[in-house]
Amino acid sequence: MAYYLVHAMGRGGSGDFEEREGRAARNFAEMAKRDGIERTVYLGGLGDEPRSKHLRSRQRTADLLAEHGPPLTYFRAGMVVGAGSESYRTLRYLVQRLPAMIAPAWLQTPTQPIAVNDVISYLVKAPDVIDSGSAEIQIGGPDILSYGEMLDRMAEALGIRPRRRVPVPLLTPWLSSLWIGLVTPVDAGVARPLVEGLSTPTVVTDPAGMAAFEIVPMGINEALRLALAEDPEVAPVRQIGVRLLPEDRYRVPATGPVESTDRAELLVPSPSRAVPGPAEIESLGRGYWEFVARRSGGVFRASEDESGRIRLSLRGTPLELLSFDPPRYEPLGEGSSVTWPITGGALTLPEGRGQGYLRFTLTRAESDAETTTLDAVMEVRGFYPLLRGRGLLAPVGALFYTLTQRVFHRAMTRAYLRSLGRSPASNRLDRVQRSG
């Protein structure tokens, strides 16, 4: 058996890479057949009727290997996520270097990325699963995302804010490749053909071949975490992956308390059976108020008195916006929580004082050989905001609260959850894992 993993795209080559790849594939196939090789294993690309030279060349290489050589096992994959992958490097550079980016139509194209470790597993198991004859196996990870979503996942894995995108529908893949060449150091001979293929969906349409291998591919979050951990340009500053999850509970009724929940998954790059205890929750809880003061640019000030009561106020004024009783720390089965009862302040209606609370919970979800997943949750319950109003104007007040105070609270909460992937919060979380 022989593995054919040759790619002639870019890297200083002269002439047409399609012609070079075709010539190399035919020469290899004829040599393998002449020398009695029983089977060739080849890794190509997904995508039917591709409009790019890159994907067309991948398919033509497979055709030439099958026509002129021994029986062919043809693996087809979309984006391979690994530290040495040019597709991965292009995404990373775009997210790291641009605070905002133009958004061509191809950012909506679906793809099904797969981790390089999983690709290797399929290649290694090929001799044991396929005995003879030719076979085509489409492989991919469990997640199907648009390229725009891939950029957001990369930002989350890096622990930075997802980049704003400005829609430019008429920006073609070819023009995009020129733009990417200006803002990333990825070899232009590689980046341009890759980007020109982004308008072609690269998803698994026939999963039957994958099933025979009994391999469970990792999700995109874990694939990105591993790639970043092995990336020599990133690993020294890589910390904890954070994925914000959709808000699963939110209510602003005309009467009754406000409720909201924001969640995140934290991928800590160390295995552990330890669970976050009250001491770690206390540290992270205090970090929340420090974060609010810092992130607001000093407009808001959080202070704590000797009894542990916390007051949120406008800096330079005696106006107390919200006040909280001393926090309550509670150990849970797989983690801990901290709860701040809301007791007053200008932003609270009198009837809600002492009824509502803000709670932060951190629990260990799972742990494998290389990582620990933690679930972080910020909840508001039983809160009666002043801006929601009373009586006949309550519905208007609910809308006003939603567009003002609630927007600020949610933005601050999600920013804090995202910050847990960076120092100093990430160092606290890492210590939780090592303590186990």
Side-chain angles (χ1 to χ4, degrees):
M1 175 178 289
Y3 287 85
Y4 189 79
L5 305 173
V6 177
H7 214 319
M9 193 169 65
R11 297 302 179 196
S14 60
D16 187 340
F17 74 83
E18 280 188 285
E19 190 277 330
R20 294 198 308 275
E21 288 193 337
R23 185 173 62 249
R26 179 164 183 165
N27 290 341
F28 178 88
E30 292 175 346
M31 178 273 296
K33 193 170 187 177
R34 185 172 60 248
D35 291 352
I37 301 297
E38 295 182 356
R39 184 152 40 109
T40 299
V41 177
Y42 166 63
L43 176 63
L46 288 170
D48 297 326
E49 300 181 2
R51 286 172 280 180
S52 73
K53 291 171 61 175
H54 161 55
L55 294 177
R56 284 200 307 269
S57 183
R58 297 283 81 201
Q59 181 60 51
R60 182 166 178 264
T61 295
D63 294 340
L64 290 169
L65 291 172
E67 179 182 354
H68 298 285
L72 177 67
T73 299
Y74 175 24
F75 286 98
R76 302 182 66 187
M79 177 186 292
V80 177
V81 180
S85 162
E86 298 294 8
S87 300
Y88 151 84
R89 293 182 67 233
T90 299
L91 284 180
R92 177 172 63 75
Y93 280 124
L94 286 175
V95 171
Q96 286 181 313
R97 296 189 171 200
L98 298 176
M101 63 185 73
I102 52 179
W106 54 260
L107 282 182
Q108 301 302 316
T109 303
T111 186
Q112 192 166 351
I114 183 170
V116 64
N117 289 0
D118 290 327
V119 172
I120 293 172
S121 295
Y122 281 108
L123 295 174
V124 169
K125 291 189 70 172
D128 300 325
V129 176
I130 302 174
D131 296 328
S132 62
S134 298
E136 178 181 309
I137 303 114
Q138 299 182 24
I139 58 176
D143 303 302
I144 299 177
L145 313 96
S146 68
Y147 285 105
E149 291 171 323
M150 284 287 293
L151 291 170
D152 291 342
R153 294 294 183 91
M154 176 65 81
E156 292 170 359
L158 286 165
I160 61 179
R161 180 177 302 179
R163 296 331 195 192
R164 297 182 182 276
R165 295 193 288 271
V166 180
V168 185
L170 298 180
L171 188 65
T172 67
W174 183 81
L175 289 174
S176 297
S177 70
L178 299 180
W179 164 63
I180 289 174
L182 292 174
V183 299
T184 77
V186 176
D187 186 282
V190 175
R192 289 179 184 175
L194 282 177
V195 174
E196 288 171 7
L198 297 183
S199 60
T200 299
T202 51
V203 298
V204 174
T205 57
D206 182 6
M210 273 198 307
F213 284 77
E214 297 182 345
I215 292 173
V216 181
M218 68 183 72
I220 183 59
N221 293 333
E222 179 67 3
L224 288 172
R225 188 193 68 77
L226 290 177
L228 289 167
E230 297 172 0
D231 190 333
E233 297 179 351
V234 177
V237 296
R238 176 73 184 95
Q239 306 223 359
I240 291 172
V242 178
R243 180 190 176 195
L244 295 178
L245 302 178
E247 189 176 48
D248 68 348
R249 185 171 181 177
Y250 165 56
R251 293 180 65 247
V252 184
T255 60
V258 164
E259 298 180 353
S260 67
T261 302
D262 287 286
R263 300 177 180 271
E265 286 182 343
L266 312 178
L267 301 178
V268 183
S270 58
S272 175
R273 300 300 300 175
V275 298
E280 290 77 30
I281 281 289
E282 180 178 359
S283 177
L284 292 170
R286 293 179 185 277
Y288 173 73
W289 298 108
E290 296 169 4
F291 180 85
V292 169
R294 184 173 64 253
R295 194 59 179 265
S296 67
V299 174
F300 299 106
R301 178 174 178 267
S303 60
E304 183 177 358
D305 62 21
E306 293 181 356
S307 67
R309 294 185 72 246
I310 293 174
R311 294 177 173 84
L312 185 66
S313 58
L314 284 176
R315 183 174 293 275
T317 74
L319 180 61
E320 185 178 275
L321 300 176
L322 289 171
S323 62
F324 302 83
D325 264 353
R328 301 195 299 262
Y329 302 100
E330 181 181 0
L332 305 173
E334 290 292 317
S336 297
S337 70
V338 56
T339 302
W340 294 277
I342 302 172
T343 56
L347 295 179
T348 305
L349 286 170
E351 58 263 38
R353 293 172 185 174
Q355 305 298 315
Y357 61 84
L358 172 65
R359 175 176 293 157
F360 175 61
T361 305
L362 188 66
T363 56
R364 187 180 64 82
E366 58 185 15
S367 182
D368 57 30
E370 296 183 350
T371 187
T372 300
T373 301
L374 302 176
D375 287 337
V377 182
M378 291 288 289
E379 302 174 82
V380 171
R381 294 288 184 272
F383 177 46
Y384 288 75
L386 175 68
L387 295 181
R388 199 215 31 216
R390 304 167 172 164
L392 295 177
L393 295 180
V396 176
L399 176 62
F400 185 60
Y401 165 79
T402 299
L403 297 176
T404 54
Q405 185 181 343
R406 194 264 168 178
V407 169
F408 174 81
H409 164 72
R410 186 167 190 265
M412 191 67 69
T413 297
R414 293 178 73 80
Y416 174 69
L417 292 174
R418 190 181 294 115
S419 77
L420 295 178
R422 299 188 293 275
S423 295
S426 64
N427 294 333
R428 299 185 185 116
L429 289 172
D430 207 28
R431 285 196 294 272
V432 173
Q433 305 315 303
R434 288 198 298 270
S435 68

